[in-house]
Amino acid sequence: MSAPKKVVLAYSGGLDTSIILKWLQTEYGCEVVTFTADLGQGEELDPARQKAELLGIKPENIFIEDLREEFVRDFVFPMFRANAVYEGLYLLGTSIARPLISQRLIEIAEATGADAVAHGATGKGNDQVRFELSAYALNPEIKVIAPWREWDLTSRTKLLEFAEAHQIPIAKDKRGEAPFSVDANLLHTSSEGKVLEDPAVEAPEYVYQRTDHPENAPDSPEYIEIGFEKGDAVSINGEAMSPATILTQLNEYGRKHGIGRLDFVENRFVGMKSRGIYETPGGDILLEAHRGIEQITLDSGAGHLKDSIMPRYAELIYNGFWFSPEREMLQALIDKSQEHVTGTVRLKLYKGSARTVGRWSPNSLYSEAHVTFEEDAGAYDQTDAAGFIQLNALRLKLIAQRNKRVSGK
Amino acid sequence: MSAPKKVVLAYSGGLDTSIILKWLQTEYGCEVVTFTADLGQGEELDPARQKAELLGIKPENIFIEDLREEFVRDFVFPMFRANAVYEGLYLLGTSIARPLISQRLIEIAEATGADAVAHGATGKGNDQVRFELSAYALNPEIKVIAPWREWDLTSRTKLLEFAEAHQIPIAKDKRGEAPFSVDANLLHTSSEGKVLEDPAVEAPEYVYQRTDHPENAPDSPEYIEIGFEKGDAVSINGEAMSPATILTQLNEYGRKHGIGRLDFVENRFVGMKSRGIYETPGGDILLEAHRGIEQITLDSGAGHLKDSIMPRYAELIYNGFWFSPEREMLQALIDKSQEHVTGTVRLKLYKGSARTVGRWSPNSLYSEAHVTFEEDAGAYDQTDAAGFIQLNALRLKLIAQRNKRVSGK
Amino acid sequence: MSAPKKVVLAYSGGLDTSIILKWLQTEYGCEVVTFTADLGQGEELDPARQKAELLGIKPENIFIEDLREEFVRDFVFPMFRANAVYEGLYLLGTSIARPLISQRLIEIAEATGADAVAHGATGKGNDQVRFELSAYALNPEIKVIAPWREWDLTSRTKLLEFAEAHQIPIAKDKRGEAPFSVDANLLHTSSEGKVLEDPAVEAPEYVYQRTDHPENAPDSPEYIEIGFEKGDAVSINGEAMSPATILTQLNEYGRKHGIGRLDFVENRFVGMKSRGIYETPGGDILLEAHRGIEQITLDSGAGHLKDSIMPRYAELIYNGFWFSPEREMLQALIDKSQEHVTGTVRLKLYKGSARTVGRWSPNSLYSEAHVTFEEDAGAYDQTDAAGFIQLNALRLKLIAQRNKRVSGK
Amino acid sequence: MSAPKKVVLAYSGGLDTSIILKWLQTEYGCEVVTFTADLGQGEELDPARQKAELLGIKPENIFIEDLREEFVRDFVFPMFRANAVYEGLYLLGTSIARPLISQRLIEIAEATGADAVAHGATGKGNDQVRFELSAYALNPEIKVIAPWREWDLTSRTKLLEFAEAHQIPIAKDKRGEAPFSVDANLLHTSSEGKVLEDPAVEAPEYVYQRTDHPENAPDSPEYIEIGFEKGDAVSINGEAMSPATILTQLNEYGRKHGIGRLDFVENRFVGMKSRGIYETPGGDILLEAHRGIEQITLDSGAGHLKDSIMPRYAELIYNGFWFSPEREMLQALIDKSQEHVTGTVRLKLYKGSARTVGRWSPNSLYSEAHVTFEEDAGAYDQTDAAGFIQLNALRLKLIAQRNKRVSGK
């Protein structure tokens, strides 16, 4: 790879990406463009601009964008249509944000004539894979710089020395090492590393930043109603809202009731296991609600097919293949299934859990006429069941006869 | 089908199966053998014996058996090795009990020279299918009698008239109709019908019989530790127990903390949707714990394969195909995966939920040496990730180049 | 089911459906509408009109249609996009024709105000299921009459007596029983029953009606080139043609070279095994060619996903679920994959087989620059493979270390 | 990686691996152990011994083994139980040989105290991955040396210079470059590269080394009968034979009749497409025969499950994951299915194709009593089909009613 001339850096404004910024300038002598996105991580973006300027970035090279609506509408919601969970439990909160960041990095690179992008993910994790697969899928000629895999700043001390040597301001609380590492966006907050590295030991309460302790949650349940159209949430308690507003509000409900905590050991794409604490307050509620509305609007053929391909879909997103033909093919299948997933779900929120307690829809496939224990006025002929069972049993009978014949019994 | 001469009836001792007993005698003039099993449904079995005798069944034709250990060891535990859930949420508590009952019906039929078996499931539900597929798979020549599909006792009034006409005792509380229908065993209690038929309306609290209301659960959490060997639970808090004892104890923990409630609309195999309230107190805890121990003992290849076939496995059990070649093939796959699923999980029980907070195992695949944020002494070479990403990206780059070329951009 | 008033009958003009026609009139006293379609079965349609008139059908109730283009364009081609084969070998020639016939039956019923449709499939086969599932999916209120499951004309003798009693003309060669039963359309000819019922015995040569004996095929190979656009064949040897024309021509190539014969034992949806002789001359060539063009235009992610869902897709079509949400979902996935499946395949036809020997495409993903054994000018960095392998191996190493630790070796 | 001290080299005796041998000695100054296996590639092994001695390998460090029986019995046959084909067409002839070679390399390393193994696969192909994943899975501490990824002998000229400088004999026909590259074993011969690199151009006839041209094959067909037990071939024409003998004989039948040629563009695991010519004469016959015997001995539940997981199983073998938990889990599933796959298949071999024309088995599930067009003496009740269809249609009707209601039509 020839040396980059102009690099778009995914820049948070924090110490680590500021060091990267400076390192790119000094190591490659290249022009740096910063890109800072509001994905709902809950941090001010203004300081990032000031800091970038302080580090010598030209104003026209500073990109700061609020991507919350795009994030929820084009990434989170399509994923939730699939009820995607990785390894049975993880709602993919970090995974789903990476493709959008890469997409904007590439777009900004094209707009500014940059020949490279850079990110602050380490060489051990999944995020480097997600950033880079997305970048290459969108621009096969782009250079990707991953400083953590390249440089020799391999200890906290060296990083701080580099920062000091290059006049990078260091906040007081960044002098020591953080007791764990955090990633956050509108969908979730993840924490991992350091105090969390022994999976046998319960995570300390101070790790949880996004949800109140269920024990401190209100002592009485709260009910909410989420409206859906074609598989996407469109309202809360009857009030129509934008995608990001809905997720923001659900986060607030979840936070209050201690919903969405997960202590999890997962398999990284790069081959090792890691332990994380995830908080997905709004996401947990949304998943439960989406399943609730599908219960009455999807038939078994559609639902079972979705269930059977979901693990693969989730794995693709986890591994960073959002921009791949197979993810798009699966999305086509999933979206096709959601045409009638419209209606309302009533949920009960209480002490750490969100449970569906009612659901209704103009598109409902639930037929009280068929299922009733009462007289059904001919909707269903019970004698049909006899033939149904006989033909389903036929092959099993033939097997049993064969086995008897073969065993001579 | 020629008329049966001797029928083994799955007999609960309740009013409905007593009416069936009598109806079989009068309709077919056949000898009736009763089979009553303790699967942990929480009812005394002695009354069933007395009632059978009262209805004229010969003592040698009355079979009463405690199958709890067999049920958990040979059916529940193998199923939990798969983390089986139907349609994302249902733990298959009713489905998994049917094959065992059918198996014993067939064995008793063979032992007593009976040519038929009979059950009390209706023509609208899944249980008729499960009973009969299992029966035919085990004995392809057996006759199966399903009175609810045959007789004309199609209203409560007619049933009571028949009972009175045949001196069948009717408990006072059975005069009126039950507000919903219940099935129970050691794994779960399900309730459906009548007051539950509108899926938009929250189920009344009195429907829940197996779990305390989470709001009434203890205000402080309780911790327990479940030990596993080769995928099966073998101890609680360090004390070794038999399978049924473990499930019984977990049920008690679950009951106390309000764990395992589910309000669910499902797709029946016979083609309609139905709404049920399920309570699976011990099962919910066990599933969470099993996932917890798999997190550190299964690698991603094994775990993802299991996840991808699970929906099909669960569907087979739901639909009644326990005794089918494909269920046995999937079981072989699942059991193979469990050889190293040994260790201990620590769970926190609180107000309706059971969450894994720690897990450890002599067979753990979790490597702190690899995952650590600290210096890893060469366990992992971060530059490997660059090559890993490049080759994973290669096809995506080729696609992007092709698309550029084709679109002429 | 109340008695039908007006019935649309799938009418071939042959003896059996003529008897059905008369039986419907006499049994139900209902008005009969006949529908005869040209799906490429190679029979004149005019006699069907004359015979229907002879049997008293009003001219406005006689529908005769050439559906060959619709058949190939809307059913055969979409299915071939999936490379669908049932149980590894069968190209679904009969299965794929049924939904179209049902669709037209329902449309004609709606146009003529009929309340029922009728078909001539027996109660043992798959076709009854396919006809009826399609009919019910398109019109849930329609009545379906399947005379073979209802009447008592259970022997050849009774059928002939009925025909004679009702002045139905009987061709001389229909007096005796046919030595096997045949179904044909533009995609295939299937033969089964009677002389074919012992699967151990080779089918006599006279069963094959659609293909020349490979031993009689030309002694020198013939080359053809098939052009594709978005997954569908659009030309042969550079000449653009309509879908039905292409399949007709490929059939002629296949017939001449003895291509597409299959002796097969399959699992029917109704639970039994049956043995059939299938001839799919053009279909075999088309499948080979479609695979050939996909080889260079689909990447592995898309191709492997298609391969993994294909068996389910084929099973759905075989079982009669063309008009089901899950088939439509899978079709959306498949169609999405075909956007770049454009190009040309060169095939060699010889003595029973069609083999791809060359393929090229403006959309090709094949990169000689990458794969070459020669110097590749930096297209591919071989050292990337080391990192790729290391990270793919990481979990396997962790397993091996665990196993060593556990076994104490 | 520290420098290896003693290396076991997969040594063919040819020029390339002889250069590697010398390079290992000179580059690392390490002791070299050679391992040469007869996997049926059709080359003498004695010259390999002589050449190794000539290059200074100590006699106790020269391992030459006939692994043909082990290869077929423990690798080829288990794979054929799955009917494994990669990307629809490739029988995995190269892929399946690699794990066995790696296994012996590791065993010899342990027996001789070697700390490394080496292979002659390049950095662009799949074989490096297969060799190394297998090696690491069997010994996580082993070092693997892949000279083609390390050295600077990047042109034919440099290689020959190195050979001359180190007194490595060069056969006259190795002076020039081969027009394509070949790999062979008892299952297949593959050819790729150079003259085959343009996938649009038909492969020249001289590439085919293992099969006669179908046009030169006998003008009359030949019939053979293959006997199976539990899924494995055990006899030809009634004569019991060992696994390797059976495959050897089938290869001879295939060679003679021009069977098993494939011109194929595949997706390599490392991300690029490549074009190969494969000849699998015996394998093609065996696959056809195995499918034939499964047709009557596997029921649809077992068969369809096998079909649905086959692509994943084949991909695992192709990608080099033979020694992985997920391959072993799938093998457990597949082997479970084969318990009754016993019987005989009759095949017709003619001009490039092998077709099943008859099959019989003591374990057959084919029931002429059920399928017959004749009177079936009550084996099957056609009215059962009505109920079967009604309940399968129920959900489709509910969907249609919903859609009508929603669309207001």
Side-chain angles (χ1 to χ4, degrees), chain B residues 296-302 312 315 340 361-365 367 370 380-381 383-388 390-392 394-396 398-399 401-403 405-406, chain C residues 296-302 312 315 340 361-365 367 370 380-381 383-388 390-392 394-396 398-399 401-403 405-406:
Chain B
I296 54 170
T297 55
L298 275 192
D299 96 305
S300 64
R312 188 162 190 168
E315 189 183 15
H340 291 285
S361 164
N363 298 356
S364 179
L365 293 168
S367 168
H370 281 84
Y380 180 92
D381 181 350
T383 62
D384 285 339
F388 180 73
Q390 282 302 332
L391 294 207
N392 271 297
L394 180 48
R395 67 182 178 95
L396 303 178
L398 291 169
I399 293 169
Q401 284 163 354
R402 185 263 310 271
N403 293 354
R405 198 174 69 228
V406 171
Chain C
I296 55 170
T297 55
L298 276 193
D299 96 306
S300 63
R312 188 163 190 165
E315 188 184 14
H340 292 285
S361 165
N363 297 357
S364 178
L365 293 169
S367 167
H370 280 83
Y380 180 91
D381 181 348
T383 62
D384 285 339
F388 180 73
Q390 282 302 330
L391 294 206
N392 272 297
L394 179 48
R395 66 181 178 96
L396 303 178
L398 290 168
I399 293 169
Q401 284 163 354
R402 186 263 307 273
N403 293 355
R405 199 174 69 228
V406 171

Side-chain angles (χ1 to χ4, degrees), chain A residues 297 299-301 340 362-365 367 370 380 384-388 390-392 394-395 398-399 402-403 405-406, chain D residues 297 299-301 340 362-365 367 370 380 384-388 390-392 394-395 398-399 402-403 405-406:
Chain A
T297 55
D299 96 305
S300 63
H340 291 285
N363 297 357
S364 179
L365 293 168
S367 168
H370 280 83
Y380 181 91
D384 284 340
F388 180 73
Q390 282 303 330
L391 294 206
N392 272 297
L394 179 48
R395 68 182 177 95
L398 291 168
I399 293 169
R402 186 264 306 273
N403 293 355
R405 198 175 68 228
V406 171
Chain D
T297 55
D299 96 306
S300 63
H340 291 285
N363 297 356
S364 179
L365 292 168
S367 168
H370 280 83
Y380 181 92
D384 285 340
F388 180 74
Q390 282 302 330
L391 294 206
N392 272 297
L394 179 49
R395 66 183 179 95
L398 291 168
I399 293 169
R402 185 265 308 273
N403 293 354
R405 197 174 70 228
V406 171

Side-chain angles (χ1 to χ4, degrees), chain C residues 92-373:
Chain C
L92 295 160
T94 298
S95 323
I96 192 62
R98 302 320 189 197
L100 173 55
I101 295 171
S102 276
Q103 181 180 301
R104 288 300 297 137
L105 286 174
I106 294 298
E107 289 166 354
I108 292 169
E110 285 168 7
T112 59
D115 58 338
V117 298
H119 63 76
T122 77
K124 284 191 170 180
N126 296 302
D127 284 333
Q128 57 176 341
V129 188
R130 296 167 187 150
F131 278 128
E132 299 180 31
L133 292 184
S134 291
Y136 292 132
L138 295 170
N139 183 340
E141 324 297 344
I142 201 75
K143 294 178 188 112
V144 181
I145 304 171
W148 286 97
R149 293 201 307 258
E150 292 190 29
W151 66 26
D152 56 0
L153 305 177
T154 52
S155 70
R156 197 78 204 153
T157 312
K158 287 186 191 166
L159 281 170
L160 293 176
E161 283 170 6
F162 182 94
E164 280 168 358
H166 292 86
Q167 285 82 45
I168 301 171
I170 306 172
K172 270 196 187 144
D173 63 343
K174 296 290 178 185
R175 285 271 158 200
E177 293 207 45
F180 54 92
S181 159
V182 173
D183 176 68
N185 60 46
L186 201 54
L187 180 54
H188 96 335
T189 294
S190 74
S191 305
E192 56 179 17
K194 309 284 173 61
V195 302
L196 299 172
E197 280 183 11
D198 183 348
V201 176
E202 186 171 3
E205 180 60 25
Y206 66 77
V207 170
Y208 296 93
Q209 305 163 58
R210 191 77 171 260
T211 50
D212 285 346
H213 196 301
E215 294 164 45
N216 300 332
D219 285 326
S220 39
E222 184 170 12
Y223 289 87
I224 62 171
E225 292 178 7
I226 303 181
F228 285 88
E229 271 181 34
K230 296 184 189 296
D232 294 339
V234 294
S235 68
I236 299 177
N237 292 334
E239 190 183 342
M241 300 176 197
S242 75
T245 311
I246 282 183
L247 188 50
T248 304
Q249 288 232 359
L250 292 180
N251 279 333
E252 179 48 26
Y253 284 112
R255 184 202 57 69
K256 178 175 158 195
H257 291 284
I259 293 167
R261 295 181 163 200
L262 174 64
D263 179 329
F264 191 49
V265 178
E266 77 204 54
N267 293 293
R268 288 191 185 157
F269 188 28
V270 294
M272 69 186 68
K273 288 182 180 292
S274 71
R275 192 260 198 108
I277 298 297
Y278 295 114
E279 294 168 89
T280 320
D284 249 40
I285 300 173
L286 188 59
L287 174 62
E288 172 71 13
H290 187 258
R291 279 182 174 149
I293 192 63
E294 284 196 339
Q295 285 170 16
I296 55 170
T297 55
L298 276 193
D299 96 306
S300 63
H304 294 192
L305 176 56
K306 275 191 73 201
D307 287 350
S308 75
I309 59 90
M310 184 279 283
R312 188 163 190 165
Y313 177 85
E315 188 184 14
L316 285 170
I317 294 177
Y318 185 87
N319 288 354
F321 289 95
W322 180 265
F323 294 112
S324 70
E326 62 272 29
R327 203 280 309 170
E328 290 169 5
M329 288 161 65
L330 288 169
Q331 195 71 54
L333 178 151
I334 291 160
D335 290 355
K336 179 78 189 162
S337 75
Q338 301 292 295
E339 291 173 358
H340 292 285
V341 180
T342 293
T344 304
V345 176
R346 184 169 166 79
L347 298 126
K348 185 177 183 176
L349 314 180
Y350 178 65
K351 293 277 188 190
S353 57
R355 300 205 192 279
T356 297
V357 298
R359 62 298 259 173
W360 54 95
S361 165
N363 297 357
S364 178
L365 293 169
Y366 180 90
S367 167
E368 207 167 317
H370 280 83
V371 81
T372 184
F373 275 58

Side-chain angles (χ1 to χ4, degrees), chain B residues 75-114:
Chain B
F75 293 81
V76 174
F77 275 10
M79 180 176 79
F80 271 76
R81 285 176 214 146
N83 301 327
V85 286
Y86 181 69
E87 299 187 344
L89 293 165
Y90 167 43
L91 297 194
L92 295 160
T94 298
S95 323
I96 193 61
R98 300 322 189 196
L100 173 55
I101 295 171
S102 276
Q103 181 180 300
R104 288 300 297 138
L105 285 174
I106 294 298
E107 288 167 353
I108 292 169
E110 285 167 9
T112 60

Side-chain angles (χ1 to χ4, degrees), chain A residues 213-227:
Chain A
H213 196 302
E215 296 165 43
N216 300 331
D219 285 325
S220 37
E222 183 171 12
Y223 288 86
I224 62 170
E225 292 178 7
I226 303 181

